[in-house]
Every structure is written in structure tokens, then in C-alpha cells.
Amino acid sequence: LKEFLQTDAPPQKIADCLSLCGPSVEKLTKIKDDFLYEIEVTTNRVDCMSVLGIAREAGAILPQFGFSARLNHDIYQTPTGSDPVGKSFPLKISVDSKLCPRFTAVVIKNVTVQSSPKNIQNRLESSGIRSLNNVIDISNYLMRAYGQPIHVFDLDKIKSQMVLRSSKPKETITTLDGKTHILPGNDIVIADGNNRLIDLCGIMGGLNSGVDQQTKNVLLFVQTYNPINLRQTSMNLAHRTEAAVIFEKSPDPELVLPVLLQGIQLFKKITHGEQGSKIIDIYPHPYKPKIVTAPLQLIKDRLGIDISQPEVDKILKSLGFINNLVPSWRAQDINIPEDLIEEVARVYGYHRLPSQIMATAIPTNYPDENFHLEHENTKTFIRRNFSGGGRKHENTKTGFIYSDFG
């Protein structure tokens, strides 16, 4: 965390402050000279499913409790370029952009497959990911650090091209775990020049393109997918992976290229490989920043506090909201003024908001018309159960009593 966050807050205080104003830290465990955070992240905050995301939250929250804190490694500020080495790309690429809104890839040649450095092994395994080798570990390490799943192929096992498309009914693929899947159709897949399926996209790579000890040239692949197709495939095949869980929540497409560039540097460092192609970046519909505003008086009315505009601006700026522009990593869940007000409220601190009992009578709770019939049926079954209308049975193991109505 402190590779991304510069702060004087001790580990326990970081956990306490995050739990009050951000993602809830469920458990803090000391591991030798380090600490492991177990954090609950709500499903709308895919940007927090990473070390970077938690560091960004902590950078905004800790100053509210008197600690210094700032993000010191913002990957979004990484210089980018589409062709830093001026080389060609060895495969023909075809992408259905409705299935894959952003597709990036680059070749890393002359890698040495071996064990990862101990610090990478320890971090992965402490956070629940098994260390395999330096090439595979890079992909998992980047996902854990930045919240962007990536995939690596053995380049020499791919024949002439990559076609990202929708699967046909009853096509088959054997994934890296050795399981063969018969696809129902409309799944996102990649086929090579021999029309072999080499990737069940967003879920698991194909065994026929997997990295092994003999791998010398790697295709580093970073992308985003249509979340609807991906979730349908994951549920239909009962094949849940951490990558699928992230992809189905629509991670930020603006994160894709920065993570690819970080991956290139990590490959150079721990596999001794070198960039062997230009970077492919297919992004036909780039993110367009949107503006959401919340007038100061509306914020005061909703929160019941007398907060100043500079204080509001400081909170929003610390979260990446500058000049009313929504940052790309929050584009999915910030849409109306009340969304911004909620951001101000939680960082300011719900515990600091005034508590006031309602001055009027508690409203009558009228039944919901859509569920009224269901509610009445439930009451009827309950009455029959306790009045002997059904045959009672007792589960001797659990002690539960239930009835049937023949």
C-alpha cells in the first residue's frame, strides 16, 4: 500500500479511518513485518478492487483525521505512446469492439521463465493467489495492484492471427485448468489462424496457448469486455474466476494502456525480456469525460451542515473530481448531484453529521402493490402451518419443523 500512498498514519489507523469513511476493513492481520488488510468492497466500486484504489481512498480520507497522506504513484499520469520502438506486430488482429471496447497487446521476446522474486511471491500468496512462475505472476500481480485483469499467451503457439469474436453454439475450448467446455454460443472468445479457440475471454485462457517452462516469447494482452456477455458465459459454465468478477463490473477502459506499460517494465525487470513489437491499441470509442455538479446549497440542505465551498472542492479534488469532471474510474457510479453529495458526506464523515429525530409522525408503511399478493399468500401459508393445515415434519438433525400441503 505504501508504494502507492505516502502517509504518516500507522496500519491500524489506516484501517479505522477507511472503515469510517470508505471501504470497510473487516480484518487486519500482522504478517512478520507487514500487515494484511481484508477489505469489503461494494459491487459498484470496482475501482477499489486494487491496491491503487484503496490508496486513492486512503489519500482522501486520512487528512480528515489529521494524518498526512497523498498518492505517490498515480498510474494515470504515466506517459503513453503507441509505437515506442517503431516495430511491426507479428499477428493479424481482428476485434469485435461491441464485445471488447478496448484491446491492447504487445510482444515481449526472449523471456526467461523462472520463479518470481520472493517479495512478489509473498504478496501474491498472502492475498490468496498461488505463485506459479514469473510470467504468470506478473499478470496476477498487475491485477492485484491496479484492478485490471490481464492475460499472457505463448506467442509461438498462436497461428498467424487473433480474431476476437462471439462463439458459435457447441464450439469447445480446453482452458488452462484442463477442463473442456462446450460453449452455448455468444461467448467472447479468441480464435487463431487455424480457427482454434485459444482464449475464453475474461475467464480463463486456452491450454493450447498457455505459458510453460519452454516459453520464450510472450504476448501481453490487456483489455476490457462487454460485461453482459462475460457474466452470461461465467454463469452458464459455472466457471467463476477473479478476473471474471472484475470484468463483469466494467473496469475503467482508461486504465488499460497504463497497465500495459507497467507490464512491459515489469517483464523487463523480472523476466529479462524486451519489447519485441509495437503496441496495438484498438479503442474506437474513447471515454468522454462527463460533468456532474452539486450546488453548495443543495449539499448543505441534504447533509444538514454548514460546509464551505473550498472544503467541498478539497474533498472532491482528493477523490479525482476536478472542475466538475467525473474521473474515468468513477464514470459508472457517479451520474447525479446526489452521487457527489454522498462522496462529500462519507469523506467528511457520516459520524460528524448531525443526528436529529423526526419532528413529524412516522409515515404509514403502506404495502407495496407489486408484492401485496405475495405478502398475503405468505401470511396464508404461515397460518395454515401453525393451525395444523399441513402435515408437519421435523428434521432431526437441524430441529426445524416444516409442513407440506398435499
Side-chain angles (χ1 to χ4, degrees):
L1 182 62
K2 287 193 172 181
E3 289 182 6
F4 293 85
L5 179 71
Q6 184 175 320
T7 183
D8 58 355
Q12 185 62 58
K13 287 296 182 182
I14 293 175
D16 294 343
C17 296
L18 280 174
S19 295
L20 278 171
C21 301
S24 176
V25 179
E26 301 297 305
K27 188 177 181 181
L28 180 64
T29 305
K30 194 173 191 312
I31 301 177
K32 297 181 180 179
D33 59 348
D34 206 348
F35 290 85
L36 178 69
Y37 292 82
E38 295 182 33
I39 303 175
E40 179 186 3
V41 178
T42 56
T43 189
N44 65 309
R45 292 300 306 273
V46 65
D47 61 296
C48 285
M49 295 181 181
S50 64
V51 179
L52 172 64
I54 297 301
R56 187 188 293 115
E57 286 286 295
I61 292 168
L62 289 172
Q64 299 292 320
F65 294 87
F67 298 104
S68 66
R70 68 179 181 87
L71 206 62
N72 62 6
H73 179 55
D74 188 352
I75 192 174
Y76 283 88
Q77 303 301 319
T78 302
T80 60
S82 60
D83 191 10
V85 295
K87 295 183 179 180
S88 61
F89 198 79
L91 300 171
K92 182 180 178 181
I93 303 294
S94 175
V95 176
D96 183 341
S97 294
K98 292 180 181 179
L99 301 176
C100 179
R102 190 169 193 181
F103 177 109
T104 67
V106 68
V107 171
I108 309 295
K109 65 179 185 179
N110 299 324
V111 301
T112 300
V113 180
Q114 57 188 8
S115 297
S116 294
K118 282 294 182 183
N119 68 319
I120 288 181
Q121 292 185 43
N122 292 340
R123 288 179 179 179
L124 287 176
E125 293 182 354
S126 294
S127 64
I129 299 177
R130 185 163 56 100
S131 175
L132 296 172
N133 59 56
N134 54 353
V135 172
I136 302 301
D137 288 355
I138 286 174
S139 66
N140 288 324
Y141 193 85
L142 291 171
M143 178 178 69
R144 186 66 85 226
Y146 301 110
Q148 169 62 55
I150 74 172
H151 187 57
V152 287
F153 297 89
D154 185 322
L155 176 67
D156 300 315
K157 295 178 181 178
I158 302 174
K159 305 302 180 184
S160 71
Q161 67 177 359
M162 296 177 69
V163 179
L164 190 148
R165 59 172 173 81
S166 180
S167 69
K168 303 168 188 174
K170 297 187 178 180
E171 280 191 291
T172 63
I173 182 172
T174 301
T175 46
L176 289 166
D177 56 3
K179 296 179 180 178
T180 298
H181 301 278
I182 301 175
L183 304 181
N186 206 35
D187 315 281
I188 308 173
V189 295
I190 295 178
D192 69 0
N194 289 347
N195 206 30
R196 302 179 307 155
L197 299 189
I198 59 173
D199 190 23
L200 183 57
C201 294
I203 298 175
M204 189 172 287
L207 186 62
N208 53 6
S209 61
V211 170
D212 56 36
Q213 291 298 317
Q214 284 69 49
T215 296
K216 292 298 179 187
N217 301 303
V218 168
L219 182 70
L220 176 61
F221 177 43
V222 189
Q223 66 297 314
T224 57
Y225 294 117
N226 183 309
I228 297 175
N229 294 72
L230 195 135
R231 179 168 175 81
Q232 287 175 341
T233 298
S234 179
M235 300 304 289
N236 286 338
L237 300 179
H239 201 25
R240 302 288 286 162
T241 62
E242 188 168 347
V245 170
I246 293 175
F247 276 132
E248 68 187 27
K249 294 174 176 58
S250 298
D252 181 13
E254 291 292 291
L255 185 61
V256 167
L257 186 57
V259 169
L260 182 83
L261 296 174
Q262 291 292 314
I264 292 172
Q265 297 307 312
L266 204 51
F267 265 97
K268 289 179 179 179
K269 182 177 180 180
I270 72 171
T271 73
H272 310 296
E274 56 183 327
Q275 186 174 338
S277 77
K278 68 177 183 179
I279 293 173
I280 296 293
D281 185 6
I282 302 173
Y283 193 20
H285 304 292
Y287 171 72
K288 294 180 180 179
K290 63 180 179 180
I291 294 176
V292 177
T293 61
L296 181 61
Q297 191 58 49
L298 182 64
I299 296 174
K300 291 181 178 180
D301 291 344
R302 292 291 186 269
L303 302 186
I305 58 175
D306 186 18
I307 190 171
S308 68
Q309 188 65 57
E311 190 171 1
V312 169
D313 293 341
K314 182 179 179 182
I315 289 173
L316 292 177
K317 183 179 179 180
S318 70
L319 293 169
F321 297 84
I322 301 174
N323 298 326
N324 297 322
L325 291 176
V326 177
S328 59
W329 59 86
R330 297 301 303 278
Q332 297 294 321
D333 70 315
I334 302 294
N335 297 292
I336 58 177
E338 282 74 11
D339 293 333
L340 280 183
I341 294 172
E342 184 178 1
E343 294 300 295
V344 174
R346 70 180 183 84
V347 175
Y348 177 83
Y350 290 124
H351 57 287
R352 296 173 60 192
L353 299 180
S355 299
Q356 183 174 344
I357 298 175
M358 294 174 58
T360 59
I362 296 175
T364 301
N365 183 22
Y366 294 104
D368 188 320
E369 292 182 1
N370 294 326
F371 295 99
H372 181 67
L373 180 60
E374 178 181 328
H375 180 65
E376 290 301 312
N377 286 340
T378 299
K379 290 196 297 183
T380 299
F381 281 121
I382 291 173
R383 284 196 297 268
R384 292 188 64 184
N385 185 10
F386 287 99
S387 64
R391 294 189 301 273
K392 295 183 179 179
H393 307 269
E394 180 174 359
N395 187 316
T396 56
K397 291 184 178 180
T398 65
F400 289 123
I401 297 176
Y402 62 96
S403 297
D404 61 24
F405 302 91

